[in-house]
Amino acid sequence: MTPRKSRRLKVEIIDDNDSFLRQWRKALGKGAAKSIVDISQRTCNQIREDLKALDSIRRIARKEGGNSFRPEASPFSDIDIVFVDYDLIDLEDATCLTGEDIAYLLRCFTTCTIVVLMNSPELGVDSFDLRLRRPMDSWADLAIGSEQLDNKWLWDHTPRGFAPWTWPNLAELARKRRDQISAFQDQLNESILDVLDFPVDARIAMDHAMADVVATRRDGEAEPYSVKEFVLESEYCVHRRDRAMFQDHTNQIARIAAARTSNWLEHVVLPAQSVLVDAAHLVTRFPGLLKAKTSLVGTWRAAARRDATVLKALNSKAIAKYRLSSDKWLSRPAWLWPQLRNDPDAMKWAAAEITPRFVFCEDTSRFIDRKEGHEFVADVPAQTALRYLEMPTPLKEYRPSVRLSM
C-alpha cells in the first residue's frame, strides 16, 4: 500500500509592506520545498483587515466574556506557521503595535499552530543570539532575522553553513505541537511536570530561570503549576485582564499550555544542557557513548542530528531509560542529565582516555577541529556556559557581542 503523503503546511507572512511581503515569500520559497509549504499570497490590505478583526475579537471578549469568541473561527486559525515582522508601524490603526503583540493574539485567540517572530530589536535581520536562552516574555516559537528566511535548516535535518542548533525543524514542530495539545487536553488539572514525566532529581536540578516559570509558592513551599493554573495564573501565559474569558475554553487552554511549555523546554531548559541534554552535547561529556571511531570527525557529526537517526550514532540502548519519555515535547531526542551522570557506568562513558579533538559549534550545528572553533559564554548556568562557534562566511552579526570576550 502506498503511504499517504502529508499535506502541505499553510504558511502566512504578516507585514505592513507589499514589497517586503513579495521579497520574503520568494526567500521562504527558496528555503522550503514546495512539497512542504503552501505560502499565502494575500495583500497587506487583506492582512490588515484580518488583524483588525482579530484585535476586535479580543476587545469584545474582554467586555462580553469567553462565550463571545470561537478561536477556530478567528482569522489565521487555518494557518500552520505564521511569520510575523516585529516592526509594523503601518498597521498602527490596529491597537496591536508590534509583532510580539500580534504573536500574543495569534497564540491566544486563534488555533494557528506555530508563530515565528522576525527582526526583533535584540536580534535584527541577520544575527546569532549568543545568549542561547530566550526569555519567556516572547510569545513566538522561534525568533529569526528576515535574512534567514531562505535558510533550509528551518525545514531540513542537514545543516549547511549558518544553522543555529537552537532552531527546530518547523515542519516537525508543527506536527509535534498537535500531539502536545492532545496530551494536555485531558490533563488540565495535572501538574505540568507530571505530564512531562519529569523525575524528582530533574526538578531539583532546575535553576531559577527554569523553576520560576512552571512553579509557584504555596505555604512557603515550591509547588508546580497544574496545566490550567500555568495558563491562567502564572506570569508567563495569558495576560491578567484576559484570564476570565478563558476559564471555560478548555481546548484553548490546552493549546496555549502546549505552546508555552514547548517554548520553556526549547528556549529555557534545553539550551542550558544541565537538566536535559541532547546528543551533540552528551557526547562531548561522554565520548564513550559514540559507536564509531572518535578520531574521525564524521563520528562526532553523526551525533549532531535533530531527528531520531542520531540514536544510531550512540550506544542508545545503554541510556534508553534516561531518555525523556516522549519525543513530542522537544525538537530532538534528549536525556535526563542528573540521572545519566549518576549511572554506575558514567565513568566508562566519560572515557577519560579519549581527548576529543573536536568541539560542537552552536551556530553551524556540527563538530569541527578544536583549533578552528571560537569560544563564547552563553547565558546559562556557569558549568555549561562555555560553548563554541564556527562563524562561517558570510559572517553574521553575533549578539550580544560582549559574550565573545567574557
PDB file of all heavy atoms in Angstrom, residues 137-164:
ATOM      1  N   ASP A 137       9.164  36.063  27.895  1.00  0.00           N
ATOM      2  CA  ASP A 137       8.249  37.163  27.570  1.00  0.00           C
ATOM      3  C   ASP A 137       7.942  37.228  26.076  1.00  0.00           C
ATOM      4  O   ASP A 137       7.109  38.025  25.641  1.00  0.00           O
ATOM      5  CB  ASP A 137       8.777  38.509  28.073  1.00  0.00           C
ATOM      6  CG  ASP A 137      10.174  38.841  27.566  1.00  0.00           C
ATOM      7  OD1 ASP A 137      10.683  38.089  26.708  1.00  0.00           O
ATOM      8  OD2 ASP A 137      10.743  39.832  28.037  1.00  0.00           O
ATOM      9  N   SER A 138       8.591  36.405  25.273  1.00  0.00           N
ATOM     10  CA  SER A 138       8.253  36.309  23.854  1.00  0.00           C
ATOM     11  C   SER A 138       7.210  35.218  23.652  1.00  0.00           C
ATOM     12  O   SER A 138       7.320  34.118  24.199  1.00  0.00           O
ATOM     13  CB  SER A 138       9.490  35.988  23.021  1.00  0.00           C
ATOM     14  OG  SER A 138       9.127  35.770  21.666  1.00  0.00           O
ATOM     15  N   TRP A 139       6.200  35.514  22.823  1.00  0.00           N
ATOM     16  CA  TRP A 139       5.137  34.555  22.545  1.00  0.00           C
ATOM     17  C   TRP A 139       5.409  33.757  21.273  1.00  0.00           C
ATOM     18  O   TRP A 139       4.596  32.930  20.872  1.00  0.00           O
ATOM     19  CB  TRP A 139       3.797  35.282  22.458  1.00  0.00           C
ATOM     20  CG  TRP A 139       3.258  35.558  23.817  1.00  0.00           C
ATOM     21  CD1 TRP A 139       3.615  36.582  24.647  1.00  0.00           C
ATOM     22  CD2 TRP A 139       2.310  34.770  24.536  1.00  0.00           C
ATOM     23  NE1 TRP A 139       2.942  36.481  25.838  1.00  0.00           N
ATOM     24  CE2 TRP A 139       2.125  35.382  25.796  1.00  0.00           C
ATOM     25  CE3 TRP A 139       1.598  33.617  24.237  1.00  0.00           C
ATOM     26  CZ2 TRP A 139       1.259  34.868  26.750  1.00  0.00           C
ATOM     27  CZ3 TRP A 139       0.724  33.109  25.195  1.00  0.00           C
ATOM     28  CH2 TRP A 139       0.561  33.725  26.430  1.00  0.00           C
ATOM     29  N   ALA A 140       6.518  33.987  20.647  1.00  0.00           N
ATOM     30  CA  ALA A 140       6.842  33.271  19.408  1.00  0.00           C
ATOM     31  C   ALA A 140       7.530  31.947  19.717  1.00  0.00           C
ATOM     32  O   ALA A 140       8.231  31.802  20.722  1.00  0.00           O
ATOM     33  CB  ALA A 140       7.733  34.127  18.526  1.00  0.00           C
ATOM     34  N   ASP A 141       7.344  30.975  18.846  1.00  0.00           N
ATOM     35  CA  ASP A 141       8.019  29.690  18.980  1.00  0.00           C
ATOM     36  C   ASP A 141       9.471  29.778  18.541  1.00  0.00           C
ATOM     37  O   ASP A 141      10.288  28.929  18.910  1.00  0.00           O
ATOM     38  CB  ASP A 141       7.306  28.634  18.126  1.00  0.00           C
ATOM     39  CG  ASP A 141       5.898  28.360  18.617  1.00  0.00           C
ATOM     40  OD1 ASP A 141       5.772  27.698  19.653  1.00  0.00           O
ATOM     41  OD2 ASP A 141       4.941  28.820  17.974  1.00  0.00           O
ATOM     42  N   LEU A 142       9.793  30.786  17.741  1.00  0.00           N
ATOM     43  CA  LEU A 142      11.151  30.976  17.240  1.00  0.00           C
ATOM     44  C   LEU A 142      11.314  32.431  16.848  1.00  0.00           C
ATOM     45  O   LEU A 142      10.357  33.068  16.388  1.00  0.00           O
ATOM     46  CB  LEU A 142      11.393  30.076  16.019  1.00  0.00           C
ATOM     47  CG  LEU A 142      12.762  30.172  15.329  1.00  0.00           C
ATOM     48  CD1 LEU A 142      13.868  29.703  16.263  1.00  0.00           C
ATOM     49  CD2 LEU A 142      12.772  29.349  14.042  1.00  0.00           C
ATOM     50  N   ALA A 143      12.505  32.979  17.036  1.00  0.00           N
ATOM     51  CA  ALA A 143      12.822  34.338  16.590  1.00  0.00           C
ATOM     52  C   ALA A 143      13.988  34.272  15.617  1.00  0.00           C
ATOM     53  O   ALA A 143      15.029  33.691  15.936  1.00  0.00           O
ATOM     54  CB  ALA A 143      13.175  35.231  17.785  1.00  0.00           C
ATOM     55  N   ILE A 144      13.812  34.846  14.428  1.00  0.00           N
ATOM     56  CA  ILE A 144      14.867  34.851  13.417  1.00  0.00           C
ATOM     57  C   ILE A 144      14.922  36.225  12.763  1.00  0.00           C
ATOM     58  O   ILE A 144      14.044  37.071  12.970  1.00  0.00           O
ATOM     59  CB  ILE A 144      14.632  33.776  12.328  1.00  0.00           C
ATOM     60  CG1 ILE A 144      13.358  34.097  11.523  1.00  0.00           C
ATOM     61  CG2 ILE A 144      14.556  32.391  12.935  1.00  0.00           C
ATOM     62  CD1 ILE A 144      13.178  33.219  10.293  1.00  0.00           C
ATOM     63  N   GLY A 145      15.947  36.456  11.946  1.00  0.00           N
ATOM     64  CA  GLY A 145      16.004  37.641  11.110  1.00  0.00           C
ATOM     65  C   GLY A 145      15.433  37.320   9.737  1.00  0.00           C
ATOM     66  O   GLY A 145      15.501  36.176   9.272  1.00  0.00           O
ATOM     67  N   SER A 146      14.876  38.304   9.061  1.00  0.00           N
ATOM     68  CA  SER A 146      14.266  38.066   7.749  1.00  0.00           C
ATOM     69  C   SER A 146      15.294  37.610   6.713  1.00  0.00           C
ATOM     70  O   SER A 146      14.936  36.965   5.722  1.00  0.00           O
ATOM     71  CB  SER A 146      13.550  39.329   7.256  1.00  0.00           C
ATOM     72  OG  SER A 146      14.434  40.444   7.241  1.00  0.00           O
ATOM     73  N   GLU A 147      16.583  37.916   6.941  1.00  0.00           N
ATOM     74  CA  GLU A 147      17.615  37.466   6.020  1.00  0.00           C
ATOM     75  C   GLU A 147      17.819  35.947   6.082  1.00  0.00           C
ATOM     76  O   GLU A 147      18.507  35.366   5.244  1.00  0.00           O
ATOM     77  CB  GLU A 147      18.949  38.163   6.335  1.00  0.00           C
ATOM     78  CG  GLU A 147      18.964  39.654   6.019  1.00  0.00           C
ATOM     79  CD  GLU A 147      18.822  39.917   4.529  1.00  0.00           C
ATOM     80  OE1 GLU A 147      19.528  39.271   3.744  1.00  0.00           O
ATOM     81  OE2 GLU A 147      17.979  40.758   4.157  1.00  0.00           O
ATOM     82  N   GLN A 148      17.215  35.311   7.061  1.00  0.00           N
ATOM     83  CA  GLN A 148      17.360  33.871   7.225  1.00  0.00           C
ATOM     84  C   GLN A 148      16.157  33.083   6.705  1.00  0.00           C
ATOM     85  O   GLN A 148      16.091  31.860   6.863  1.00  0.00           O
ATOM     86  CB  GLN A 148      17.592  33.552   8.704  1.00  0.00           C
ATOM     87  CG  GLN A 148      18.879  34.158   9.243  1.00  0.00           C
ATOM     88  CD  GLN A 148      18.838  34.427  10.734  1.00  0.00           C
ATOM     89  OE1 GLN A 148      17.951  33.963  11.433  1.00  0.00           O
ATOM     90  NE2 GLN A 148      19.800  35.205  11.222  1.00  0.00           N
ATOM     91  N   LEU A 149      15.228  33.767   6.042  1.00  0.00           N
ATOM     92  CA  LEU A 149      14.027  33.090   5.557  1.00  0.00           C
ATOM     93  C   LEU A 149      14.330  32.023   4.508  1.00  0.00           C
ATOM     94  O   LEU A 149      13.566  31.067   4.353  1.00  0.00           O
ATOM     95  CB  LEU A 149      13.042  34.113   4.977  1.00  0.00           C
ATOM     96  CG  LEU A 149      12.163  34.845   5.996  1.00  0.00           C
ATOM     97  CD1 LEU A 149      11.399  35.966   5.314  1.00  0.00           C
ATOM     98  CD2 LEU A 149      11.197  33.883   6.677  1.00  0.00           C
ATOM     99  N   ASP A 150      15.420  32.173   3.785  1.00  0.00           N
ATOM    100  CA  ASP A 150      15.752  31.174   2.754  1.00  0.00           C
ATOM    101  C   ASP A 150      16.646  30.057   3.294  1.00  0.00           C
ATOM    102  O   ASP A 150      17.138  29.232   2.521  1.00  0.00           O
ATOM    103  CB  ASP A 150      16.412  31.843   1.551  1.00  0.00           C
ATOM    104  CG  ASP A 150      17.734  32.524   1.898  1.00  0.00           C
ATOM    105  OD1 ASP A 150      18.083  32.584   3.093  1.00  0.00           O
ATOM    106  OD2 ASP A 150      18.405  33.011   0.965  1.00  0.00           O
ATOM    107  N   ASN A 151      16.830  30.017   4.608  1.00  0.00           N
ATOM    108  CA  ASN A 151      17.707  29.011   5.212  1.00  0.00           C
ATOM    109  C   ASN A 151      16.994  27.656   5.265  1.00  0.00           C
ATOM    110  O   ASN A 151      15.969  27.501   5.936  1.00  0.00           O
ATOM    111  CB  ASN A 151      18.109  29.448   6.625  1.00  0.00           C
ATOM    112  CG  ASN A 151      19.275  28.661   7.165  1.00  0.00           C
ATOM    113  OD1 ASN A 151      19.411  27.470   6.926  1.00  0.00           O
ATOM    114  ND2 ASN A 151      20.144  29.338   7.912  1.00  0.00           N
ATOM    115  N   LYS A 152      17.545  26.678   4.590  1.00  0.00           N
ATOM    116  CA  LYS A 152      16.928  25.351   4.521  1.00  0.00           C
ATOM    117  C   LYS A 152      16.925  24.641   5.872  1.00  0.00           C
ATOM    118  O   LYS A 152      16.155  23.690   6.075  1.00  0.00           O
ATOM    119  CB  LYS A 152      17.644  24.493   3.474  1.00  0.00           C
ATOM    120  CG  LYS A 152      17.525  25.007   2.049  1.00  0.00           C
ATOM    121  CD  LYS A 152      18.229  24.086   1.066  1.00  0.00           C
ATOM    122  CE  LYS A 152      18.212  24.658  -0.351  1.00  0.00           C
ATOM    123  NZ  LYS A 152      16.824  24.789  -0.863  1.00  0.00           N
ATOM    124  N   TRP A 153      17.762  25.082   6.788  1.00  0.00           N
ATOM    125  CA  TRP A 153      17.839  24.477   8.115  1.00  0.00           C
ATOM    126  C   TRP A 153      16.523  24.613   8.886  1.00  0.00           C
ATOM    127  O   TRP A 153      16.257  23.866   9.821  1.00  0.00           O
ATOM    128  CB  TRP A 153      18.986  25.103   8.891  1.00  0.00           C
ATOM    129  CG  TRP A 153      19.253  24.599  10.266  1.00  0.00           C
ATOM    130  CD1 TRP A 153      19.237  25.321  11.424  1.00  0.00           C
ATOM    131  CD2 TRP A 153      19.626  23.255  10.670  1.00  0.00           C
ATOM    132  NE1 TRP A 153      19.565  24.550  12.504  1.00  0.00           N
ATOM    133  CE2 TRP A 153      19.806  23.271  12.067  1.00  0.00           C
ATOM    134  CE3 TRP A 153      19.812  22.066   9.976  1.00  0.00           C
ATOM    135  CZ2 TRP A 153      20.173  22.135  12.790  1.00  0.00           C
ATOM    136  CZ3 TRP A 153      20.168  20.925  10.702  1.00  0.00           C
ATOM    137  CH2 TRP A 153      20.344  20.965  12.089  1.00  0.00           C
ATOM    138  N   LEU A 154      15.680  25.550   8.480  1.00  0.00           N
ATOM    139  CA  LEU A 154      14.370  25.696   9.106  1.00  0.00           C
ATOM    140  C   LEU A 154      13.463  24.510   8.807  1.00  0.00           C
ATOM    141  O   LEU A 154      12.463  24.292   9.503  1.00  0.00           O
ATOM    142  CB  LEU A 154      13.689  26.985   8.638  1.00  0.00           C
ATOM    143  CG  LEU A 154      14.285  28.302   9.154  1.00  0.00           C
ATOM    144  CD1 LEU A 154      13.711  29.478   8.375  1.00  0.00           C
ATOM    145  CD2 LEU A 154      14.011  28.462  10.644  1.00  0.00           C
ATOM    146  N   TRP A 155      13.789  23.756   7.761  1.00  0.00           N
ATOM    147  CA  TRP A 155      12.917  22.677   7.307  1.00  0.00           C
ATOM    148  C   TRP A 155      13.638  21.341   7.156  1.00  0.00           C
ATOM    149  O   TRP A 155      12.986  20.302   6.984  1.00  0.00           O
ATOM    150  CB  TRP A 155      12.305  23.051   5.944  1.00  0.00           C
ATOM    151  CG  TRP A 155      11.787  24.441   5.914  1.00  0.00           C
ATOM    152  CD1 TRP A 155      12.428  25.561   5.451  1.00  0.00           C
ATOM    153  CD2 TRP A 155      10.518  24.889   6.402  1.00  0.00           C
ATOM    154  NE1 TRP A 155      11.639  26.671   5.606  1.00  0.00           N
ATOM    155  CE2 TRP A 155      10.458  26.290   6.188  1.00  0.00           C
ATOM    156  CE3 TRP A 155       9.436  24.238   6.978  1.00  0.00           C
ATOM    157  CZ2 TRP A 155       9.344  27.046   6.537  1.00  0.00           C
ATOM    158  CZ3 TRP A 155       8.329  24.996   7.334  1.00  0.00           C
ATOM    159  CH2 TRP A 155       8.293  26.385   7.113  1.00  0.00           C
ATOM    160  N   ASP A 156      14.947  21.336   7.191  1.00  0.00           N
ATOM    161  CA  ASP A 156      15.735  20.153   6.864  1.00  0.00           C
ATOM    162  C   ASP A 156      16.544  19.722   8.081  1.00  0.00           C
ATOM    163  O   ASP A 156      16.778  20.515   8.996  1.00  0.00           O
ATOM    164  CB  ASP A 156      16.668  20.474   5.691  1.00  0.00           C
ATOM    165  CG  ASP A 156      17.266  19.235   5.060  1.00  0.00           C
ATOM    166  OD1 ASP A 156      16.903  18.121   5.484  1.00  0.00           O
ATOM    167  OD2 ASP A 156      18.099  19.376   4.156  1.00  0.00           O
ATOM    168  N   HIS A 157      17.004  18.477   8.091  1.00  0.00           N
ATOM    169  CA  HIS A 157      17.816  17.987   9.203  1.00  0.00           C
ATOM    170  C   HIS A 157      19.309  18.003   8.892  1.00  0.00           C
ATOM    171  O   HIS A 157      20.116  17.591   9.724  1.00  0.00           O
ATOM    172  CB  HIS A 157      17.386  16.568   9.570  1.00  0.00           C
ATOM    173  CG  HIS A 157      16.081  16.503  10.320  1.00  0.00           C
ATOM    174  ND1 HIS A 157      15.876  17.155  11.520  1.00  0.00           N
ATOM    175  CD2 HIS A 157      14.907  15.880  10.039  1.00  0.00           C
ATOM    176  CE1 HIS A 157      14.645  16.931  11.950  1.00  0.00           C
ATOM    177  NE2 HIS A 157      14.043  16.162  11.078  1.00  0.00           N
ATOM    178  N   THR A 158      19.688  18.481   7.710  1.00  0.00           N
ATOM    179  CA  THR A 158      21.101  18.520   7.339  1.00  0.00           C
ATOM    180  C   THR A 158      21.607  19.955   7.385  1.00  0.00           C
ATOM    181  O   THR A 158      21.177  20.789   6.592  1.00  0.00           O
ATOM    182  CB  THR A 158      21.318  17.951   5.926  1.00  0.00           C
ATOM    183  OG1 THR A 158      20.803  16.614   5.871  1.00  0.00           O
ATOM    184  CG2 THR A 158      22.798  17.947   5.566  1.00  0.00           C
ATOM    185  N   PRO A 159      22.503  20.294   8.318  1.00  0.00           N
ATOM    186  CA  PRO A 159      22.987  21.675   8.409  1.00  0.00           C
ATOM    187  C   PRO A 159      23.923  22.030   7.253  1.00  0.00           C
ATOM    188  O   PRO A 159      24.751  21.221   6.843  1.00  0.00           O
ATOM    189  CB  PRO A 159      23.737  21.702   9.743  1.00  0.00           C
ATOM    190  CG  PRO A 159      24.175  20.292   9.953  1.00  0.00           C
ATOM    191  CD  PRO A 159      23.107  19.427   9.342  1.00  0.00           C
ATOM    192  N   ARG A 160      23.759  23.231   6.741  1.00  0.00           N
ATOM    193  CA  ARG A 160      24.640  23.749   5.690  1.00  0.00           C
ATOM    194  C   ARG A 160      24.972  25.194   6.039  1.00  0.00           C
ATOM    195  O   ARG A 160      24.090  26.042   6.033  1.00  0.00           O
ATOM    196  CB  ARG A 160      23.957  23.699   4.309  1.00  0.00           C
ATOM    197  CG  ARG A 160      23.469  22.320   3.885  1.00  0.00           C
ATOM    198  CD  ARG A 160      22.680  22.417   2.574  1.00  0.00           C
ATOM    199  NE  ARG A 160      22.106  21.147   2.170  1.00  0.00           N
ATOM    200  CZ  ARG A 160      20.921  20.694   2.576  1.00  0.00           C
ATOM    201  NH1 ARG A 160      20.195  21.426   3.415  1.00  0.00           N
ATOM    202  NH2 ARG A 160      20.461  19.531   2.155  1.00  0.00           N
ATOM    203  N   GLY A 161      26.214  25.481   6.321  1.00  0.00           N
ATOM    204  CA  GLY A 161      26.579  26.856   6.666  1.00  0.00           C
ATOM    205  C   GLY A 161      25.945  27.278   7.978  1.00  0.00           C
ATOM    206  O   GLY A 161      25.979  26.550   8.975  1.00  0.00           O
ATOM    207  N   PHE A 162      25.348  28.466   7.980  1.00  0.00           N
ATOM    208  CA  PHE A 162      24.737  29.012   9.195  1.00  0.00           C
ATOM    209  C   PHE A 162      23.495  28.193   9.544  1.00  0.00           C
ATOM    210  O   PHE A 162      22.510  28.180   8.809  1.00  0.00           O
ATOM    211  CB  PHE A 162      24.374  30.480   8.968  1.00  0.00           C
ATOM    212  CG  PHE A 162      23.824  31.169  10.186  1.00  0.00           C
ATOM    213  CD1 PHE A 162      24.613  31.364  11.307  1.00  0.00           C
ATOM    214  CD2 PHE A 162      22.510  31.632  10.204  1.00  0.00           C
ATOM    215  CE1 PHE A 162      24.104  32.007  12.430  1.00  0.00           C
ATOM    216  CE2 PHE A 162      21.998  32.283  11.320  1.00  0.00           C
ATOM    217  CZ  PHE A 162      22.799  32.466  12.431  1.00  0.00           C
ATOM    218  N   ALA A 163      23.541  27.500  10.670  1.00  0.00           N
ATOM    219  CA  ALA A 163      22.460  26.596  11.060  1.00  0.00           C
ATOM    220  C   ALA A 163      22.404  26.521  12.580  1.00  0.00           C
ATOM    221  O   ALA A 163      22.937  25.580  13.189  1.00  0.00           O
ATOM    222  CB  ALA A 163      22.673  25.206  10.455  1.00  0.00           C
ATOM    223  N   PRO A 164      21.797  27.504  13.251  1.00  0.00           N
ATOM    224  CA  PRO A 164      21.787  27.531  14.716  1.00  0.00           C
ATOM    225  C   PRO A 164      21.164  26.275  15.322  1.00  0.00           C
ATOM    226  O   PRO A 164      20.080  25.845  14.901  1.00  0.00           O
ATOM    227  CB  PRO A 164      20.941  28.774  15.026  1.00  0.00           C
ATOM    228  CG  PRO A 164      21.118  29.657  13.832  1.00  0.00           C
ATOM    229  CD  PRO A 164      21.176  28.719  12.669  1.00  0.00           C
TER     230      PRO A 164
END
